């Protein structure tokens, strides 16, 4: 079967200049709307409509309303002197009024509105001296062209150099190129939802007959949003089946090592932890490769679940690897896992970029022999020279920065490696389906016993001196505090300067040996030395940029001050707050903001004060900021949707996911009639990588 784009789609993928009314300048301007081909115009839908339905008269309308009436032109009144408007007196069926031009060539105005003739005019009306006026009508048409003006005129998104007229004409041109295509939507689903055919849905969306038809809930838009989400989920499902099709090891744990660790714990795992451990063990025992996401709220105990998964790999006779995004976090994992691994008699080692020469060579040799059971490290673990004896499980922590392609590449390290991705950033359901739809998901939504609630308070930066004075008490009692400096801008260097300034003022106020500093620009050794001094209690206050956002664990630290908290995202504030409340002492998080706060800024900080539930916080964050900002626009994993609305259509996303998985389960190579239609959809939506996955599969 051909793996090239179907011929019927070629007209939709030609240059924009092939459309009537689009020259090179307009084509370039449309790039700002991410419109590069006629196909893109199909999915650039109007966001509102203007009611242009005909009426007999302006009588009874209020200023600011838009009216479309048929008029007879009575007379012209050119301006008596420069700076005055040009007036044209007209009458509809009941009243006379003026059409007013504050600019425009007199000759053009005379041609448009010849005295004694009839014209259809449409525009916003105003009152002046008790008289109706229509300044600069949007449309002036002779009676024979009246049909050119729709009853409801679509309003498109615009950019510099592109008018509504140009946009409407270009979209119209693109619509004429939509070919006849077979249906890819399940017939039962289409009937149940009352969805129109694809081409009808496009036509209705571009020619709305009411304000309701431009809303996301209209059946035509629902249909198009589903098509977009379905194509995305097919792509993810193909990537998933690609991973799962690779023969996996059947990693059967016998529980021997796991039970040693569990019996050494001072508490029992939560129900959520036990459920996740069971789900992962069941996946690992299957002959297919595991591809699972473990999503846990701050402090929900992902480390224990990860260790249990690694022990399954070791019990089955293989090795496990755990990769963290930063060296600080890799060392933290190493420290956290070391004691528990020792209880089970398992050899755990760490490998980072800092291991050099003989030390590194010895570790690599031991790994290749199989003497190291579990290896922790940064992404350096996946360099070519790192060779495992028998890698069965790769765990990637905090990789919400990883797209599906990197995940596919990662699992190639071992012959049939199971992959577990962990994140402590709760992600709303719709986003996790968009981002991780190729994966199975386990969620940790309970806190282990012994974690103390955190009191969250708000304070203005005007009271900074008071805050510093308050710190003296807890510090003299041996407690420790984080002081996180503002995100001045997306620049490590500027953030570093802010952190260095705060470090100096706190050191002057609290004493030379009490305060340490870490930021992203420091050499790794220096950063680690400072972190170690804070962990061991030598330092009382750690001034930091957001490098401590994830995973840093100092149980004695019970105070978190976040300066200029209004600059941070909700999820990030929640992550930072989660660095305290890890010990027995009552913990406090103080959010310092610079007044006056915007309405949204205040709402964000108040949500944090109300709840510690990361999943609720993530949903609120999504509702307030939108999908792109919640995950960060540079996310490789998050696609841009033109029609679908991730904030409001998560149910549609879930439907698209289950449908996509079913289609591929029944027809893995997309060779049936519906399968071939799905291929056309993938080409139409620009999912070329998905087509390649089918052809190599």
């Amino acid at each position: 079967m051909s793996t090239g784009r179907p011929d019927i789609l070629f007209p939709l993928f030609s240059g924009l200049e092939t459309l009537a009314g689009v020259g090179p300048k307009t084509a370039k301007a449309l790039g700002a709307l991410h419109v590069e081909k006629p196909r893109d115009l199909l999915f650039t839908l109007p966001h509102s409509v203007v009611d242009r339905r005909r009426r007999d008269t302006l009588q009874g309308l209020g200023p600011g309303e838009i009216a479309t009436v048929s008029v007879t032109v009575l007379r012209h009144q050119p301006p008596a002197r420069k700076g005055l408007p040009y007036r044209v007196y007209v009458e509809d069926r009941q009243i006379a009024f003026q059409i007013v031009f504050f600019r425009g060539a007199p000759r053009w105005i005379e041609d448009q509105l010849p005295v004694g003739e009839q014209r259809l005019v449409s525009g916003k009306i105003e009152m002046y001296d008790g008289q109706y006026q229509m300044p600069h009508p949007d449309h002036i048409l002779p009676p024979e062209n009246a049909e050119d003006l729709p009853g409801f005129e679509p309003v498109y998104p615009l950019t510099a150099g592109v008018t509504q007229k140009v946009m409407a004409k270009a979209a119209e041109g693109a619509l004429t190129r939509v070919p006849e295509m077979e249906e890819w939507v399940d017939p039962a689903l289409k009937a149940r939802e009352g969805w129109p055919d694809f081409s009808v849905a496009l036509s209705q969306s571009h020619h709305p007959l009411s304000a309701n038809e431009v809303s996301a809930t209209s059946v035509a838009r629902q249909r198009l949003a589903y098509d977009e989400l379905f194509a995305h989920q097919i792509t993810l499902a193909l990537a998933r089946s690609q991973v799962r099709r690779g023969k996996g090891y059947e990693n059967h744990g016998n529980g021997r090592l796991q039970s040693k660790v569990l019996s050494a714990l001072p508490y029992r795992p939560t129900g959520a932890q036990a459920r996740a451990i069971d789900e992962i063990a069941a996946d690992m025992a299957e002959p297919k490769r595991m591809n699972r996401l473990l999503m846990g709220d701050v402090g929900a105990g992902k480390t224990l679940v990860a260790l249990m998964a690694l022990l399954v790999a070791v019990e089955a006779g293989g090795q496990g690897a755990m990769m963290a995004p930063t060296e600080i976090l890799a060392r933290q994992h190493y420290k956290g896992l070391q004691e528990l691994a020792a209880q089970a008699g398992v050899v755990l080692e760490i490998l980072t970029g800092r291991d050099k020469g003989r030390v590194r060579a010895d570790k690599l040799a031991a790994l290749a022999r199989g003497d190291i059971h579990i290896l922790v490290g940064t992404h350096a673990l996946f360099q070519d020279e790192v060779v495992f004896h028998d890698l069965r499980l790769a765990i990637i922590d905090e990789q919400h920065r990883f797209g599906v392609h990197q995940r596919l590449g990662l699992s190639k390290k071992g012959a049939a490696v199971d992959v577990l991705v962990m994140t402590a950033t709760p992600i709303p359901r719709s986003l996790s389906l968009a981002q991780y739809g190729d994966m199975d998901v386990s969620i940790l939504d309970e806190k282990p016993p012994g974690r103390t609630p955190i009191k969250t308070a708000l304070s203005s930066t005007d009271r900074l001196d008071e805050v510093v004075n308050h710190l003296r008490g807890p510090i003299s009692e041996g407690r420790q505090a984080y002081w996180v400096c503002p995100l001045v801008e997306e620049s490590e260097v500027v953030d570093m300067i802010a952190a260095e300034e705060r470090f100096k003022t706190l050191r002057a106020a609290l004493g030379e040996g009490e305060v340490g500093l870490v930021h992203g620009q420091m050499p790794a050794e220096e950063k680690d030395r400072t972190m170690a001094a804070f962990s061991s209690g030598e330092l009382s206050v750690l001034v930091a940029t957001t490098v401590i956002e994830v995973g840093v664990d100092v149980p004695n630290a019970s105070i978190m001050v976040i300066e200029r908290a209004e600059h941070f995202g909700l999820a990030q504030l929640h992550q930072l707050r989660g660095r305290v409340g890890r010990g027995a002492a009552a913990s406090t998080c103080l959010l310092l903001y610079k007044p006056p706060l915007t309405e949204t800024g205040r709402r964000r900080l108040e949500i944090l004060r109300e709840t510690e539930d990361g999943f609720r916080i993530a949903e609120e964050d999504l509702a307030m900021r939108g999908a792109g900002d919640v995950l960060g626009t540079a996310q490789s994993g998050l696609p841009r949707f033109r029609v679908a609305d991730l904030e409001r259509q998560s149910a549609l996303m879930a439907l698209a996911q289950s449908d996509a998985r079913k289609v591929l389960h029944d027809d893995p190579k997309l060779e049936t009639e519906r399968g071939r239609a799905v291929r056309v959809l993938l080409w139409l939506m620009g999912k070329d990588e998905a087509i390649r996955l089918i052809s190599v599969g």
Side-chain angles (χ1 to χ4, degrees), residues 534-581:
F534 185 64
S535 293
S536 65
E538 285 171 52
L539 295 171
S540 301
V541 179
L542 184 67
V543 177
T545 55
T546 51
V547 291
I548 62 145
E549 178 185 340
V550 179
V552 175
D553 189 9
V554 179
N556 189 46
S558 57
I559 299 163
M560 168 64 74
V561 180
I562 304 172
E563 206 175 327
R564 298 300 299 275
E566 73 275 16
H567 280 296
F568 294 85
L570 257 178
Q572 201 173 28
L573 289 169
H574 179 59
Q575 286 292 324
L576 288 165
R577 173 172 64 180
R579 298 306 105 220
V580 295

Side-chain angles (χ1 to χ4, degrees), residues 361-413:
D362 287 349
K363 282 185 185 178
L364 291 176
L367 189 69
R369 286 195 304 273
D371 296 348
I372 294 171
H373 300 133
I374 297 172
L375 185 65
V376 177
T378 57
H379 50 82
L381 291 192
F382 292 94
Q383 289 169 349
D384 289 343
E385 58 173 18
V386 181
V387 178
F388 289 83
H389 177 67
D390 183 6
L391 180 62
R392 301 288 185 90
L393 172 66
I395 298 183
I396 306 139
D397 190 27
E398 280 313 326
Q399 283 311 78
H400 43 278
R401 305 172 186 86
F402 256 47
V404 63
H405 307 295
Q406 290 95 321
R407 294 202 286 275
L408 280 171
L410 254 181
S411 56
K412 293 179 183 141
K413 194 72 191 175

